[in-house]
Amino acid sequence: MEYSNCWLQYHSLSNANQREIVVLCKEKSAILLNAVNELDLAFHSLYGRKITVVTEEDRYQTAKTGIYLKSDSSVSMQDNSKDGYTITCAAGKCTITATGEAGLLYGVFALLRNLQVQKVADFDVWSFQEEKTPSNPLRMLNHWDNMDGSIERGYSGKSFFFGKDELLVNERTVMYARLVASVGINAVVINNVNVKGAATALISDRYYNELHSMAEILAAYGVQLFISINFAAPIELGGLATADPCDSSVRSWWKKRAEELWSKVPSLGGFLVKADSEGRPGPFTYGRTHADGANMLADALRPFAGLVIWRCFVYNCQQDWRDTKTDRARAGYDNFMPLDGTFADNVILQIKNGPMDFQVREPIAPLFGGLKNTNIILEVQIAQEYTGQQRHVCYLIPWFKEILLFHTCCGKTNDQVVDIVSGRTYNNHNCGIAAVSNTGDDFNWTGHDLAGANLYGYGRLAFDTELSAETIATEWISETFGTKEKIQEHVLKILMMSWRTYEKYTSPLGIGWMVKPNGHYGPDVDGYEYDRWGTYHRADHKGIGVDRTGSGTGYYDQYNEPLASMYADITSCPEELLLFFHHVDYDYILTSGKTVLQHIYDTHFEGADEAEMFLELWQQLQGMMEEDIYQRTLERFLHQKDHAKEWRDVINSYFYRKTGIIDQYHRPLY
Ligand code: GCU
């Protein structure tokens, strides 16, 4: 096999009871067929049991053991709960009820997950009850795959969606669909947001057939296909002289294109758009606003219930480092806040979790809690661009939980990010979460085997934001590695520590950006300091940090009160974000009683020691799992240990040389 089944291994739980299981499923559809297939596969592996599918109730009633996939259309399809399910199991009979077919599929995956997590040896005597409605309407993955097979910020091999400018539709597509559906993902964008070359033509007859096949495979697992588009397509594809969203020829070009596209690929979900950002074309070229651009596309897609997902990652990437007033962190809010309330109903603004760019820690983007009359979706990144590139372990779910639980102080009772993106705060349904995916065609899909926990965990969290990071990790470990206690204990410990450990040996106190330019891997404290990207730490011999208070860029003021005052006041600003908001002297005393510089030294030593401990914890698991998984991961831990030391030494030595201040504990500085 060329790819792993990841958490769908279905490790054997028991072979003691081999009685046949009768599955009652009255309707036939692609999704239900897949649900039944999954039961077949899983019960065979978990228990060595066969299933028999029946359509008549009698046959089910008289069977000793059975599973009933029961459609109940009494709940409105408009409601989020169409993807919800209930499971009731007792005395060998198990009923999964849902309004929609996807809900039944999710119910099946939930049943199988719970059997494994609870280590159920005999299904026939298991009692279980669960009722779930997904927290978010949209639960998306954004792939940054290019049509030549490369992946922007890809750390797990090449694309399994594209190669040589063609779509790849094969068995791996089906496995992908199973994996993502099993955790509740319901929408995927398969191509990079930077749409160039052949990708511009994805919305042309050259690709309709393949797109159709891809869309059908995904739809059979309840997953809708989306495409990133090039805003300049009317010029590049249509031969028009302009892509001005207010030009009538441009508007009718998009309308015709959408009609054609949806007639060939009817299950398409819509478009994702990166416009006026990092060199991509957009409405600014024509003196138009982002609302002009997005609404023009929204008009074209409306007849097909298509969505336009418009990214807010728009900033000046031609900055001069001497300019201390322009602040990249301000850009999203400055660009989009004035447009609140002007976007069409089928437009959703996609906002990165922080105002910069997926650093290991950033404050929450102030557009959350700022925008009040606009559909929004949160964008996180499970591709570990800035968090170790899937060579370091960095389980991101604890970070995502913090992001979701942040109180935006927007003046509503439900004011957390999780409330806003789920649609609770403003009572809307075009919203949710998207993650930049961490997958590629490596055998294990994610480069680092433990990075599978981020793919799994993101989906689980998007479906059920109440879950804790620890619960999710525990599930993933049981399903991926089986139920051996020592594996559970060590892997859980590594995962739960890993994000903070990574933060310790890389970025102190929220400053970020001390990475090598372009590749973003490895330490280079001044790598971006004098560059044009607006990503500065402002370290000199006396102090470090960016003044974003009133005396600086004024960014703090984009937050609602009391957040703005909290960030602006150095005594109330959370210390983990101190250097994001304030420029301080190295001898500034933290609440721990340490100076900022001693804190930097200490955390870097601590972080590197923890990376070494991860290696030791892993080494104690040899022989307890498949050797190739053990070895592959061991190699990554060995690298992480050395690379963490490199981070520690480069950063600590940089500050030592700049300041001449020695480490209080006289550890080696260079
Ligand atoms: C980051 C990343 C780019 C990506 C961009 C985006 O800047 O480094 O590769 O294109 O984000 O989100 O659009």
Side-chain angles (χ1 to χ4, degrees):
M1 198 164 56
E2 286 156 21
Y3 47 82
S4 151
N5 289 342
C6 297
W7 54 88
L8 298 180
Q9 306 277 341
Y10 301 125
H11 293 284
S12 169
L13 287 169
S14 158
N15 275 322
N17 177 354
Q18 303 223 330
R19 185 189 292 143
E20 153 202 76
I21 299 174
V22 170
V23 173
L24 173 61
C25 182
K26 293 182 185 166
E27 287 123 282
K28 279 206 174 89
S29 73
I31 295 185
L32 289 178
L33 226 56
N34 281 332
V36 169
N37 280 342
E38 201 65 36
L39 286 173
D40 188 25
L41 208 92
F43 273 91
H44 184 261
S45 291
L46 293 170
Y47 301 108
R49 296 179 73 166
K50 243 177 63 63
I51 67 163
T52 303
V53 188
V54 301
T55 48
E56 325 79 51
E57 208 147 336
D58 280 4
R59 178 77 173 77
Y60 172 77
Q61 298 302 354
T62 51
K64 280 231 153 26
T65 309
I67 301 172
Y68 182 6
L69 301 184
K70 186 176 173 191
S71 298
D72 175 358
S73 51
S74 60
V75 187
S76 142
M77 290 298 280
Q78 281 307 311
D79 195 321
N80 211 6
S81 61
K82 77 180 192 316
D83 284 355
Y85 60 83
T86 58
I87 305 176
T88 314
C89 300
K93 287 290 177 71
C94 194
T95 307
I96 303 177
T97 314
T99 346
E101 295 175 339
L104 286 175
L105 181 67
Y106 296 143
V108 163
F109 280 117
L111 170 74
L112 299 173
R113 175 168 56 243
N114 280 290
L115 288 170
Q116 295 173 80
V117 172
Q118 296 185 24
K119 307 182 182 74
V120 175
D122 190 353
F123 177 68
D124 290 16
V125 297
W126 185 50
S127 292
F128 179 69
Q129 184 85 38
E130 182 173 273
E131 183 170 349
K132 291 280 175 196
T133 302
S135 316
N136 293 290
L138 276 167
R139 308 173 296 275
M140 300 191 93
L141 277 175
N142 290 182
H143 294 266
W144 286 358
D145 292 25
N146 299 313
M147 296 204 57
D148 63 1
S150 62
I151 303 178
E152 178 147 342
R153 312 304 176 189
Y155 312 108
S156 348
K158 291 193 155 309
S159 174
F160 49 79
F161 288 123
F162 305 108
K164 299 188 181 142
D165 289 351
E166 296 298 335
L167 272 93
L168 309 175
V169 187
N170 51 40
E171 278 182 13
R172 191 159 188 157
T173 322
V174 178
M175 188 65 215
Y176 168 81
R178 280 180 61 209
L179 285 171
V180 299
S182 74
V183 290
I185 299 291
N186 66 353
V188 301
V189 187
I190 55 172
N191 64 310
N192 189 0
V193 286
N194 295 313
V195 185
K196 299 173 194 166
T200 302
L202 258 182
I203 53 170
S204 75
D205 53 5
R206 183 171 164 198
Y207 293 111
Y208 288 153
N209 288 341
E210 286 90 338
L211 275 182
H212 180 259
S213 312
M214 176 84 75
E216 290 305 297
I217 292 178
L218 294 170
Y221 282 92
V223 180
Q224 236 185 341
L225 175 67
F226 283 69
I227 301 172
S228 298
I229 57 104
N230 180 345
F231 195 76
I235 302 173
E236 291 179 34
L237 213 56
L240 301 190
T242 176
D244 181 351
C246 298
D247 182 289
S248 60
S249 65
V250 172
R251 298 179 76 86
S252 59
W253 186 87
W254 278 111
K255 281 198 165 140
K256 268 194 68 190
R257 187 54 52 141
E259 271 166 29
E260 195 179 295
L261 187 55
W262 261 269
S263 74
K264 305 287 182 185
V265 195
S267 63
L268 204 64
F271 295 158
L272 175 65
V273 195
K274 173 175 179 177
D276 290 315
S277 170
E278 299 183 332
R280 303 316 304 140
F284 283 171
T285 315
Y286 310 98
R288 310 295 183 191
T289 69
H290 282 262
D292 294 330
N295 292 344
M296 178 272 294
L297 289 172
D299 266 355
L301 270 49
R302 186 168 300 112
F304 319 102
L307 296 175
V308 175
I309 303 183
W310 191 273
R311 295 176 84 227
C312 292
F313 185 60
V314 179
Y315 67 99
N316 170 9
C317 62
Q318 298 292 342
Q319 204 181 320
D320 186 314
W321 63 272
R322 281 159 292 220
D323 167 6
T324 54
K325 287 295 168 193
T326 305
D327 182 0
R328 172 166 164 178
R330 293 187 59 114
Y333 190 95
D334 284 347
N335 278 310
F336 286 91
M337 200 53 208
L339 300 175
D340 190 21
T342 64
F343 289 94
D345 195 42
N346 57 332
V347 173
I348 308 178
L349 296 188
Q350 182 163 303
I351 308 165
K352 288 191 182 185
N353 59 270
M356 298 298 276
D357 192 8
F358 302 133
Q359 299 304 290
V360 67
R361 190 186 292 274
E362 290 183 36
I364 307 307
L367 281 171
F368 297 105
L371 295 171
K372 295 189 165 60
N373 296 297
T374 304
N375 298 320
I376 57 185
I377 189 167
L378 164 69
E379 178 179 327
V380 293
Q381 192 189 43
I382 53 173
Q384 290 172 235
E385 176 176 359
Y386 295 98
T387 49
Q389 303 201 348
Q390 288 141 249
R391 299 182 74 190
H392 295 233
V393 61
C394 189
Y395 177 55
L396 293 160
I397 309 307
W399 176 212
F400 297 169
K401 282 291 288 190
E402 283 192 18
I403 294 164
L404 287 170
L405 296 181
F406 179 78
H407 286 278
T408 63
C409 303
C410 64
K412 296 277 186 180
T413 322
N414 293 319
D415 74 344
Q416 288 169 302
V417 172
V418 67
D419 300 316
I420 295 171
V421 300
S422 65
R424 266 197 297 277
T425 311
Y426 298 113
N427 197 20
N428 53 339
H429 59 274
N430 281 337
C431 47
I433 314 189
V436 179
S437 184
N438 60 355
T439 47
D441 74 353
D442 276 359
F443 176 79
N444 64 9
W445 301 77
T446 51
H448 200 311
D449 281 74
L450 299 195
N454 284 329
L455 180 61
Y456 178 91
Y458 162 69
R460 291 287 292 131
L461 185 64
F463 193 90
D464 184 356
T465 47
E466 300 278 302
L467 291 171
S468 74
E470 188 162 347
T471 301
I472 293 173
T474 307
E475 287 179 9
W476 177 78
I477 298 166
S478 305
E479 292 167 80
T480 306
F481 293 104
T483 50
K484 293 201 181 90
E485 252 169 49
K486 194 158 176 182
I487 300 186
Q488 292 265 352
E489 191 195 312
H490 287 207
V491 177
L492 185 64
K493 181 162 183 189
I494 293 170
L495 289 177
M496 290 306 292
M497 284 180 74
S498 58
W499 166 53
R500 282 177 192 281
T501 295
Y502 192 80
E503 181 182 27
K504 282 183 192 171
Y505 61 77
T506 56
S507 169
L509 304 167
I511 195 70
W513 294 109
M514 293 177 171
V515 287
K516 291 190 177 139
N518 308 318
H520 300 165
Y521 195 65
D524 182 349
V525 182
D526 281 341
Y528 271 121
E529 195 56 16
Y530 305 101
D531 218 324
R532 62 185 172 90
W533 299 95
T535 50
Y536 313 112
H537 53 64
R538 307 283 182 205
D540 59 20
H541 69 289
K542 292 209 320 258
I544 179 172
V546 184
D547 183 1
R548 292 191 162 102
T549 68
S551 54
T553 72
Y555 163 77
Y556 81 101
D557 204 27
Q558 295 183 341
Y559 289 91
N560 297 316
E561 285 296 356
L563 295 171
S565 303
M566 176 188 80
Y567 288 131
D569 181 348
I570 195 165
T571 61
S572 56
C573 179
E575 277 184 353
E576 61 215 9
L577 291 171
L578 183 72
L579 303 182
F580 194 95
F581 284 97
H582 298 271
H583 185 87
V584 301
D585 288 347
Y586 292 112
D587 60 5
Y588 178 80
I589 305 285
L590 299 171
T591 46
S592 61
K594 291 178 186 180
T595 65
V596 162
L597 188 60
Q598 191 58 43
H599 173 90
I600 293 177
Y601 290 152
D602 286 354
T603 49
H604 283 75
F605 279 107
E606 241 171 70
D609 287 350
E610 287 171 14
E612 188 155 2
M613 183 187 82
F614 293 167
L615 170 68
E616 287 159 12
L617 285 169
W618 186 256
Q619 282 170 323
Q620 289 165 32
L621 302 178
Q622 184 162 24
M624 302 183 72
M625 64 180 79
E626 284 171 40
E627 191 59 15
D628 58 338
I629 300 181
Y630 174 78
Q631 289 298 342
R632 251 193 331 256
T633 312
L634 176 69
E635 241 172 68
R636 306 235 164 196
F637 277 122
L638 285 164
H639 169 75
Q640 181 176 358
K641 179 199 73 165
D642 291 343
H643 204 228
K645 285 191 177 140
E646 188 184 329
W647 269 99
R648 174 195 72 192
D649 292 342
V650 169
I651 291 191
N652 283 350
S653 300
Y654 173 95
F655 289 106
Y656 169 57
R657 290 174 191 176
K658 247 198 166 126
T659 62
I661 301 171
I662 57 163
D663 165 38
Q664 180 184 338
Y665 304 107
H666 305 286
R667 290 163 293 195
L669 301 173
Y670 302 94

